[in-house]
Amino acid sequence: MPSAEERHPLLDRLDPDRIPQHVAITMDGNGRWAKQRSRPRVFGHKNGVEAVRASVRACRKAKVRFLTLYAFSTENWKRPEREVNALMELLVHSLRKETAELLENGVKIAVIGNVEKLPSVCRRELQEAMRITAANTDLTLTLALSYSGRWDILQAARAFAHQAATGALPADRIDAVLTEEAFGDLLSTHGIPDPELLVRTSGEHRISNYLLWQGAYSELYFTNTLWPDFREEDLYTALLDFQGRERRFGKTSEQIEVQ
Ligand code: IPE
Ligand code: IPE
Ligand code: MG
């Protein structure tokens, strides 16, 4: 396997002009990875951290500008308390351990989701990581924590309703003011382009409430690889697959060829 600093041959097969700006990943399969080794689920989560490092490295090398990782969903709060606590501890531990290197590598850390629900130690650590890396511009690494697409859409709708309720917005102006773009600005991902590519590991073929609005036209890429086994080459393979696709956005193939 090439070392972190060697250039992977798949990287040279990518068309630099057609690298997606934003890749979103659903990191799935940690529990099954651990089970295959007769270890507790948390062992799988811990080993998933190396896959996060590899994905960040691959995105930097391929010049992807935004990487969004689904780390903990709204629905994941329903898991056994022990597992939830272990995931929160792992988050704190990983942020403490990795932030300095991320800072060095031009990575800016961001978060989306209902962070109020996270334990205060997690919120503090996230705030600190975001503060330290705020000036970086190469890659924005967004962690989706206590996140779901429905939560995001609902919080945006509520924010708009609050604005409207102050009376600042007459009813006959609502249709003109609330455009797709304006609504997008109310979502937690404002300032981040929609993901062109959505990757899910572990062979599950579903969205699981991820980026529902933003992923409206994302290309979906599924791999059977379990998250703890995901490495740089898996990301390049997903990017290559993406570059082989024709994105039509409702148009015909002939219209796209003319463009
Ligand atoms: C993804 O792996 C990690 C989180 C959802 C936090 P899982 O824990 O869902 O692993 P499987 O799907 O049970 O294998
Ligand atoms: C989706 O994975 C959420 C994250 C990866 C954080 P899950 O493993 O929770 O999804 P479902 O419940 O199997 O759809
Ligand atoms: Mg899962």
Side-chain angles (χ1 to χ4, degrees), residues 25-30 32 41 69-76 79 144 147 200-202 204 206-210:
I25 305 182
T26 298
M27 313 185 285
D28 200 11
N30 297 352
R32 278 162 284 168
R41 295 178 55 82
L69 299 177
Y70 206 3
F72 193 86
S73 71
T74 303
E75 287 75 23
N76 288 150
R79 291 194 179 192
Y147 179 86
R200 183 167 187 156
T201 57
S202 85
E204 303 296 354
R206 53 179 174 268
I207 298 292
S208 301
N209 216 347
Y210 197 28

PDB file of all heavy atoms in Angstrom, residues 25-30 32 41 69-76 79 144 147 200-202 204 206-210, ligand 2:
ATOM      1  N   ILE A  25     -20.389  11.959   2.630  1.00  0.00           N
ATOM      2  CA  ILE A  25     -20.265  10.508   2.877  1.00  0.00           C
ATOM      3  C   ILE A  25     -21.126  10.085   4.069  1.00  0.00           C
ATOM      4  O   ILE A  25     -21.146  10.738   5.103  1.00  0.00           O
ATOM      5  CB  ILE A  25     -18.800  10.098   3.159  1.00  0.00           C
ATOM      6  CG1 ILE A  25     -17.871  10.549   2.020  1.00  0.00           C
ATOM      7  CG2 ILE A  25     -18.692   8.589   3.351  1.00  0.00           C
ATOM      8  CD1 ILE A  25     -16.400  10.140   2.205  1.00  0.00           C
ATOM      9  N   THR A  26     -21.845   8.964   3.888  1.00  0.00           N
ATOM     10  CA  THR A  26     -22.503   8.303   5.014  1.00  0.00           C
ATOM     11  C   THR A  26     -21.580   7.171   5.438  1.00  0.00           C
ATOM     12  O   THR A  26     -21.415   6.179   4.717  1.00  0.00           O
ATOM     13  CB  THR A  26     -23.895   7.763   4.597  1.00  0.00           C
ATOM     14  OG1 THR A  26     -24.710   8.866   4.213  1.00  0.00           O
ATOM     15  CG2 THR A  26     -24.574   7.035   5.746  1.00  0.00           C
ATOM     16  N   MET A  27     -20.952   7.361   6.576  1.00  0.00           N
ATOM     17  CA  MET A  27     -19.937   6.425   7.060  1.00  0.00           C
ATOM     18  C   MET A  27     -20.646   5.265   7.762  1.00  0.00           C
ATOM     19  O   MET A  27     -20.974   5.364   8.939  1.00  0.00           O
ATOM     20  CB  MET A  27     -19.017   7.138   8.058  1.00  0.00           C
ATOM     21  CG  MET A  27     -18.525   8.503   7.579  1.00  0.00           C
ATOM     22  SD  MET A  27     -17.335   9.237   8.704  1.00  0.00           S
ATOM     23  CE  MET A  27     -18.368   9.789  10.064  1.00  0.00           C
ATOM     24  N   ASP A  28     -20.886   4.188   7.059  1.00  0.00           N
ATOM     25  CA  ASP A  28     -21.714   3.107   7.617  1.00  0.00           C
ATOM     26  C   ASP A  28     -20.952   1.779   7.635  1.00  0.00           C
ATOM     27  O   ASP A  28     -20.103   1.542   6.777  1.00  0.00           O
ATOM     28  CB  ASP A  28     -23.001   2.984   6.782  1.00  0.00           C
ATOM     29  CG  ASP A  28     -24.101   2.265   7.546  1.00  0.00           C
ATOM     30  OD1 ASP A  28     -23.956   2.045   8.761  1.00  0.00           O
ATOM     31  OD2 ASP A  28     -25.128   1.915   6.908  1.00  0.00           O
ATOM     32  N   GLY A  29     -21.303   0.951   8.596  1.00  0.00           N
ATOM     33  CA  GLY A  29     -20.755  -0.410   8.644  1.00  0.00           C
ATOM     34  C   GLY A  29     -19.775  -0.669   9.778  1.00  0.00           C
ATOM     35  O   GLY A  29     -19.171  -1.743   9.821  1.00  0.00           O
ATOM     36  N   ASN A  30     -19.635   0.279  10.692  1.00  0.00           N
ATOM     37  CA  ASN A  30     -18.693   0.092  11.811  1.00  0.00           C
ATOM     38  C   ASN A  30     -19.082  -1.102  12.692  1.00  0.00           C
ATOM     39  O   ASN A  30     -18.232  -1.870  13.129  1.00  0.00           O
ATOM     40  CB  ASN A  30     -18.655   1.334  12.711  1.00  0.00           C
ATOM     41  CG  ASN A  30     -18.152   2.566  11.990  1.00  0.00           C
ATOM     42  OD1 ASN A  30     -17.689   2.470  10.861  1.00  0.00           O
ATOM     43  ND2 ASN A  30     -18.259   3.716  12.634  1.00  0.00           N
ATOM     44  N   ARG A  32     -20.876  -3.790  11.930  1.00  0.00           N
ATOM     45  CA  ARG A  32     -20.652  -5.071  11.247  1.00  0.00           C
ATOM     46  C   ARG A  32     -19.161  -5.406  11.175  1.00  0.00           C
ATOM     47  O   ARG A  32     -18.766  -6.559  11.302  1.00  0.00           O
ATOM     48  CB  ARG A  32     -21.272  -5.042   9.839  1.00  0.00           C
ATOM     49  CG  ARG A  32     -22.776  -5.337   9.859  1.00  0.00           C
ATOM     50  CD  ARG A  32     -23.454  -4.886   8.591  1.00  0.00           C
ATOM     51  NE  ARG A  32     -23.625  -3.431   8.592  1.00  0.00           N
ATOM     52  CZ  ARG A  32     -23.980  -2.738   7.523  1.00  0.00           C
ATOM     53  NH1 ARG A  32     -24.177  -3.346   6.358  1.00  0.00           N
ATOM     54  NH2 ARG A  32     -24.136  -1.432   7.625  1.00  0.00           N
ATOM     55  N   ARG A  41     -19.255  -3.211  19.229  1.00  0.00           N
ATOM     56  CA  ARG A  41     -19.511  -2.228  18.172  1.00  0.00           C
ATOM     57  C   ARG A  41     -18.564  -1.016  18.259  1.00  0.00           C
ATOM     58  O   ARG A  41     -18.126  -0.489  17.251  1.00  0.00           O
ATOM     59  CB  ARG A  41     -20.972  -1.741  18.244  1.00  0.00           C
ATOM     60  CG  ARG A  41     -22.012  -2.825  17.966  1.00  0.00           C
ATOM     61  CD  ARG A  41     -23.427  -2.267  18.109  1.00  0.00           C
ATOM     62  NE  ARG A  41     -23.599  -1.101  17.254  1.00  0.00           N
ATOM     63  CZ  ARG A  41     -23.877  -1.169  15.959  1.00  0.00           C
ATOM     64  NH1 ARG A  41     -24.032  -2.335  15.368  1.00  0.00           N
ATOM     65  NH2 ARG A  41     -24.011  -0.079  15.261  1.00  0.00           N
ATOM     66  N   LEU A  69     -19.278  14.692   6.438  1.00  0.00           N
ATOM     67  CA  LEU A  69     -19.345  13.322   6.959  1.00  0.00           C
ATOM     68  C   LEU A  69     -20.539  13.161   7.901  1.00  0.00           C
ATOM     69  O   LEU A  69     -20.674  13.915   8.874  1.00  0.00           O
ATOM     70  CB  LEU A  69     -18.050  13.003   7.725  1.00  0.00           C
ATOM     71  CG  LEU A  69     -16.754  13.061   6.906  1.00  0.00           C
ATOM     72  CD1 LEU A  69     -15.547  12.791   7.817  1.00  0.00           C
ATOM     73  CD2 LEU A  69     -16.779  12.061   5.747  1.00  0.00           C
ATOM     74  N   TYR A  70     -21.358  12.159   7.584  1.00  0.00           N
ATOM     75  CA  TYR A  70     -22.511  11.853   8.442  1.00  0.00           C
ATOM     76  C   TYR A  70     -21.974  11.010   9.594  1.00  0.00           C
ATOM     77  O   TYR A  70     -21.637   9.841   9.426  1.00  0.00           O
ATOM     78  CB  TYR A  70     -23.519  11.057   7.614  1.00  0.00           C
ATOM     79  CG  TYR A  70     -24.965  11.147   8.040  1.00  0.00           C
ATOM     80  CD1 TYR A  70     -25.406  11.945   9.090  1.00  0.00           C
ATOM     81  CD2 TYR A  70     -25.938  10.418   7.344  1.00  0.00           C
ATOM     82  CE1 TYR A  70     -26.740  12.016   9.439  1.00  0.00           C
ATOM     83  CE2 TYR A  70     -27.280  10.478   7.677  1.00  0.00           C
ATOM     84  CZ  TYR A  70     -27.674  11.270   8.726  1.00  0.00           C
ATOM     85  OH  TYR A  70     -29.010  11.340   9.061  1.00  0.00           O
ATOM     86  N   ALA A  71     -21.842  11.639  10.748  1.00  0.00           N
ATOM     87  CA  ALA A  71     -21.194  10.981  11.886  1.00  0.00           C
ATOM     88  C   ALA A  71     -22.195  10.495  12.933  1.00  0.00           C
ATOM     89  O   ALA A  71     -21.944   9.514  13.638  1.00  0.00           O
ATOM     90  CB  ALA A  71     -20.195  11.931  12.541  1.00  0.00           C
ATOM     91  N   PHE A  72     -23.331  11.207  13.046  1.00  0.00           N
ATOM     92  CA  PHE A  72     -24.333  10.818  14.049  1.00  0.00           C
ATOM     93  C   PHE A  72     -25.671  11.427  13.635  1.00  0.00           C
ATOM     94  O   PHE A  72     -25.795  12.645  13.535  1.00  0.00           O
ATOM     95  CB  PHE A  72     -23.904  11.326  15.435  1.00  0.00           C
ATOM     96  CG  PHE A  72     -24.692  10.728  16.559  1.00  0.00           C
ATOM     97  CD1 PHE A  72     -24.322   9.505  17.113  1.00  0.00           C
ATOM     98  CD2 PHE A  72     -25.810  11.381  17.060  1.00  0.00           C
ATOM     99  CE1 PHE A  72     -25.056   8.951  18.157  1.00  0.00           C
ATOM    100  CE2 PHE A  72     -26.545  10.826  18.103  1.00  0.00           C
ATOM    101  CZ  PHE A  72     -26.172   9.615  18.657  1.00  0.00           C
ATOM    102  N   SER A  73     -26.651  10.562  13.395  1.00  0.00           N
ATOM    103  CA  SER A  73     -27.939  11.066  12.893  1.00  0.00           C
ATOM    104  C   SER A  73     -28.900  11.345  14.052  1.00  0.00           C
ATOM    105  O   SER A  73     -28.702  10.859  15.176  1.00  0.00           O
ATOM    106  CB  SER A  73     -28.566  10.044  11.944  1.00  0.00           C
ATOM    107  OG  SER A  73     -29.025   8.917  12.677  1.00  0.00           O
ATOM    108  N   THR A  74     -29.945  12.088  13.752  1.00  0.00           N
ATOM    109  CA  THR A  74     -31.018  12.330  14.730  1.00  0.00           C
ATOM    110  C   THR A  74     -31.520  10.980  15.259  1.00  0.00           C
ATOM    111  O   THR A  74     -31.755  10.803  16.458  1.00  0.00           O
ATOM    112  CB  THR A  74     -32.193  13.065  14.033  1.00  0.00           C
ATOM    113  OG1 THR A  74     -31.695  14.274  13.468  1.00  0.00           O
ATOM    114  CG2 THR A  74     -33.318  13.361  14.992  1.00  0.00           C
ATOM    115  N   GLU A  75     -31.634  10.029  14.342  1.00  0.00           N
ATOM    116  CA  GLU A  75     -32.167   8.705  14.697  1.00  0.00           C
ATOM    117  C   GLU A  75     -31.185   7.902  15.558  1.00  0.00           C
ATOM    118  O   GLU A  75     -31.598   7.007  16.294  1.00  0.00           O
ATOM    119  CB  GLU A  75     -32.512   7.921  13.425  1.00  0.00           C
ATOM    120  CG  GLU A  75     -33.759   8.420  12.700  1.00  0.00           C
ATOM    121  CD  GLU A  75     -33.553   9.727  11.936  1.00  0.00           C
ATOM    122  OE1 GLU A  75     -32.398  10.043  11.581  1.00  0.00           O
ATOM    123  OE2 GLU A  75     -34.559  10.438  11.709  1.00  0.00           O
ATOM    124  N   ASN A  76     -29.892   8.206  15.448  1.00  0.00           N
ATOM    125  CA  ASN A  76     -28.887   7.453  16.223  1.00  0.00           C
ATOM    126  C   ASN A  76     -29.017   7.670  17.732  1.00  0.00           C
ATOM    127  O   ASN A  76     -28.477   6.882  18.516  1.00  0.00           O
ATOM    128  CB  ASN A  76     -27.463   7.795  15.766  1.00  0.00           C
ATOM    129  CG  ASN A  76     -27.090   7.232  14.413  1.00  0.00           C
ATOM    130  OD1 ASN A  76     -26.283   7.816  13.680  1.00  0.00           O
ATOM    131  ND2 ASN A  76     -27.652   6.083  14.044  1.00  0.00           N
ATOM    132  N   ARG A  79     -30.057   4.652  19.799  1.00  0.00           N
ATOM    133  CA  ARG A  79     -29.158   3.515  20.084  1.00  0.00           C
ATOM    134  C   ARG A  79     -28.957   3.345  21.591  1.00  0.00           C
ATOM    135  O   ARG A  79     -29.217   4.277  22.370  1.00  0.00           O
ATOM    136  CB  ARG A  79     -27.807   3.733  19.388  1.00  0.00           C
ATOM    137  CG  ARG A  79     -27.951   3.619  17.888  1.00  0.00           C
ATOM    138  CD  ARG A  79     -26.623   3.488  17.192  1.00  0.00           C
ATOM    139  NE  ARG A  79     -26.842   3.350  15.761  1.00  0.00           N
ATOM    140  CZ  ARG A  79     -25.919   2.997  14.884  1.00  0.00           C
ATOM    141  NH1 ARG A  79     -24.691   2.749  15.301  1.00  0.00           N
ATOM    142  NH2 ARG A  79     -26.206   2.881  13.603  1.00  0.00           N
ATOM    143  N   ALA A 144     -21.594  16.134  10.324  1.00  0.00           N
ATOM    144  CA  ALA A 144     -23.038  16.137  10.548  1.00  0.00           C
ATOM    145  C   ALA A 144     -23.294  15.366  11.833  1.00  0.00           C
ATOM    146  O   ALA A 144     -23.112  14.148  11.890  1.00  0.00           O
ATOM    147  CB  ALA A 144     -23.759  15.502   9.365  1.00  0.00           C
ATOM    148  N   TYR A 147     -27.712  15.166  13.241  1.00  0.00           N
ATOM    149  CA  TYR A 147     -28.218  15.772  12.002  1.00  0.00           C
ATOM    150  C   TYR A 147     -29.244  14.852  11.354  1.00  0.00           C
ATOM    151  O   TYR A 147     -29.111  13.633  11.377  1.00  0.00           O
ATOM    152  CB  TYR A 147     -27.064  15.989  11.005  1.00  0.00           C
ATOM    153  CG  TYR A 147     -27.574  16.586   9.703  1.00  0.00           C
ATOM    154  CD1 TYR A 147     -27.713  17.964   9.564  1.00  0.00           C
ATOM    155  CD2 TYR A 147     -27.976  15.754   8.655  1.00  0.00           C
ATOM    156  CE1 TYR A 147     -28.236  18.510   8.402  1.00  0.00           C
ATOM    157  CE2 TYR A 147     -28.499  16.298   7.486  1.00  0.00           C
ATOM    158  CZ  TYR A 147     -28.618  17.673   7.368  1.00  0.00           C
ATOM    159  OH  TYR A 147     -29.145  18.208   6.214  1.00  0.00           O
ATOM    160  N   ARG A 200     -22.046   6.177   0.074  1.00  0.00           N
ATOM    161  CA  ARG A 200     -22.418   5.423   1.280  1.00  0.00           C
ATOM    162  C   ARG A 200     -21.694   4.087   1.278  1.00  0.00           C
ATOM    163  O   ARG A 200     -21.721   3.362   0.285  1.00  0.00           O
ATOM    164  CB  ARG A 200     -23.929   5.195   1.364  1.00  0.00           C
ATOM    165  CG  ARG A 200     -24.304   4.475   2.663  1.00  0.00           C
ATOM    166  CD  ARG A 200     -25.773   4.486   2.975  1.00  0.00           C
ATOM    167  NE  ARG A 200     -26.021   3.927   4.303  1.00  0.00           N
ATOM    168  CZ  ARG A 200     -27.078   4.192   5.033  1.00  0.00           C
ATOM    169  NH1 ARG A 200     -27.992   5.020   4.574  1.00  0.00           N
ATOM    170  NH2 ARG A 200     -27.242   3.646   6.217  1.00  0.00           N
ATOM    171  N   THR A 201     -21.101   3.784   2.403  1.00  0.00           N
ATOM    172  CA  THR A 201     -20.376   2.518   2.527  1.00  0.00           C
ATOM    173  C   THR A 201     -21.287   1.440   3.099  1.00  0.00           C
ATOM    174  O   THR A 201     -22.415   1.707   3.524  1.00  0.00           O
ATOM    175  CB  THR A 201     -19.153   2.695   3.457  1.00  0.00           C
ATOM    176  OG1 THR A 201     -19.601   3.177   4.721  1.00  0.00           O
ATOM    177  CG2 THR A 201     -18.141   3.666   2.862  1.00  0.00           C
ATOM    178  N   SER A 202     -20.804   0.230   3.103  1.00  0.00           N
ATOM    179  CA  SER A 202     -21.379  -0.947   3.780  1.00  0.00           C
ATOM    180  C   SER A 202     -22.520  -1.625   3.034  1.00  0.00           C
ATOM    181  O   SER A 202     -23.181  -2.491   3.601  1.00  0.00           O
ATOM    182  CB  SER A 202     -21.823  -0.617   5.226  1.00  0.00           C
ATOM    183  OG  SER A 202     -23.132  -0.072   5.259  1.00  0.00           O
ATOM    184  N   GLU A 204     -25.414  -0.625   2.110  1.00  0.00           N
ATOM    185  CA  GLU A 204     -26.809  -0.173   2.331  1.00  0.00           C
ATOM    186  C   GLU A 204     -27.171   0.839   1.256  1.00  0.00           C
ATOM    187  O   GLU A 204     -26.413   1.770   1.001  1.00  0.00           O
ATOM    188  CB  GLU A 204     -26.965   0.476   3.710  1.00  0.00           C
ATOM    189  CG  GLU A 204     -26.561  -0.377   4.893  1.00  0.00           C
ATOM    190  CD  GLU A 204     -27.413  -1.622   5.078  1.00  0.00           C
ATOM    191  OE1 GLU A 204     -28.420  -1.795   4.353  1.00  0.00           O
ATOM    192  OE2 GLU A 204     -27.060  -2.439   5.937  1.00  0.00           O
ATOM    193  N   ARG A 206     -29.604   3.305   0.964  1.00  0.00           N
ATOM    194  CA  ARG A 206     -30.645   4.263   1.364  1.00  0.00           C
ATOM    195  C   ARG A 206     -30.004   5.579   1.798  1.00  0.00           C
ATOM    196  O   ARG A 206     -28.804   5.674   2.045  1.00  0.00           O
ATOM    197  CB  ARG A 206     -31.544   3.691   2.460  1.00  0.00           C
ATOM    198  CG  ARG A 206     -30.823   3.170   3.666  1.00  0.00           C
ATOM    199  CD  ARG A 206     -31.802   2.639   4.733  1.00  0.00           C
ATOM    200  NE  ARG A 206     -31.065   2.013   5.815  1.00  0.00           N
ATOM    201  CZ  ARG A 206     -30.759   0.726   5.866  1.00  0.00           C
ATOM    202  NH1 ARG A 206     -31.186  -0.083   4.930  1.00  0.00           N
ATOM    203  NH2 ARG A 206     -30.052   0.241   6.875  1.00  0.00           N
ATOM    204  N   ILE A 207     -30.875   6.579   1.916  1.00  0.00           N
ATOM    205  CA  ILE A 207     -30.433   7.941   2.223  1.00  0.00           C
ATOM    206  C   ILE A 207     -30.345   8.166   3.739  1.00  0.00           C
ATOM    207  O   ILE A 207     -29.528   8.963   4.201  1.00  0.00           O
ATOM    208  CB  ILE A 207     -31.417   8.970   1.589  1.00  0.00           C
ATOM    209  CG1 ILE A 207     -31.433   8.836   0.049  1.00  0.00           C
ATOM    210  CG2 ILE A 207     -31.117  10.398   1.995  1.00  0.00           C
ATOM    211  CD1 ILE A 207     -30.165   9.241  -0.668  1.00  0.00           C
ATOM    212  N   SER A 208     -31.189   7.449   4.503  1.00  0.00           N
ATOM    213  CA  SER A 208     -31.205   7.586   5.968  1.00  0.00           C
ATOM    214  C   SER A 208     -31.215   9.039   6.437  1.00  0.00           C
ATOM    215  O   SER A 208     -30.454   9.427   7.338  1.00  0.00           O
ATOM    216  CB  SER A 208     -30.030   6.828   6.612  1.00  0.00           C
ATOM    217  OG  SER A 208     -30.093   5.462   6.290  1.00  0.00           O
ATOM    218  N   ASN A 209     -32.071   9.819   5.775  1.00  0.00           N
ATOM    219  CA  ASN A 209     -32.334  11.181   6.269  1.00  0.00           C
ATOM    220  C   ASN A 209     -31.117  12.125   6.177  1.00  0.00           C
ATOM    221  O   ASN A 209     -30.956  13.018   7.004  1.00  0.00           O
ATOM    222  CB  ASN A 209     -32.847  11.100   7.725  1.00  0.00           C
ATOM    223  CG  ASN A 209     -33.901  12.144   8.037  1.00  0.00           C
ATOM    224  OD1 ASN A 209     -34.101  13.092   7.254  1.00  0.00           O
ATOM    225  ND2 ASN A 209     -34.567  12.015   9.162  1.00  0.00           N
ATOM    226  N   TYR A 210     -30.271  11.916   5.214  1.00  0.00           N
ATOM    227  CA  TYR A 210     -29.071  12.753   5.040  1.00  0.00           C
ATOM    228  C   TYR A 210     -29.374  13.826   3.997  1.00  0.00           C
ATOM    229  O   TYR A 210     -30.001  13.534   2.983  1.00  0.00           O
ATOM    230  CB  TYR A 210     -27.930  11.863   4.554  1.00  0.00           C
ATOM    231  CG  TYR A 210     -26.525  12.430   4.682  1.00  0.00           C
ATOM    232  CD1 TYR A 210     -26.191  13.359   5.655  1.00  0.00           C
ATOM    233  CD2 TYR A 210     -25.518  11.973   3.843  1.00  0.00           C
ATOM    234  CE1 TYR A 210     -24.879  13.824   5.781  1.00  0.00           C
ATOM    235  CE2 TYR A 210     -24.207  12.433   3.968  1.00  0.00           C
ATOM    236  CZ  TYR A 210     -23.898  13.359   4.939  1.00  0.00           C
ATOM    237  OH  TYR A 210     -22.613  13.814   5.066  1.00  0.00           O
TER     238      TYR A 210
HETATM  239  C1  IPE B   2     -26.733   6.514   8.994  1.00  0.00           C
HETATM  240  O1  IPE B   2     -26.312   5.239   9.371  1.00  0.00           O
HETATM  241  C2  IPE B   2     -26.224   7.543   9.950  1.00  0.00           C
HETATM  242  C3  IPE B   2     -24.783   7.660  10.036  1.00  0.00           C
HETATM  243  C4  IPE B   2     -23.879   7.043   9.310  1.00  0.00           C
HETATM  244  C5  IPE B   2     -24.321   8.600  11.014  1.00  0.00           C
HETATM  245  P1  IPE B   2     -27.264   4.261  10.187  1.00  0.00           P
HETATM  246  O2  IPE B   2     -26.547   2.972  10.288  1.00  0.00           O
HETATM  247  O3  IPE B   2     -27.703   4.887  11.444  1.00  0.00           O
HETATM  248  O4  IPE B   2     -28.515   4.148   9.203  1.00  0.00           O
HETATM  249  P2  IPE B   2     -29.747   3.139   9.173  1.00  0.00           P
HETATM  250  O5  IPE B   2     -30.464   3.302  10.465  1.00  0.00           O
HETATM  251  O6  IPE B   2     -29.200   1.753   9.018  1.00  0.00           O
HETATM  252  O7  IPE B   2     -30.544   3.552   7.998  1.00  0.00           O
END
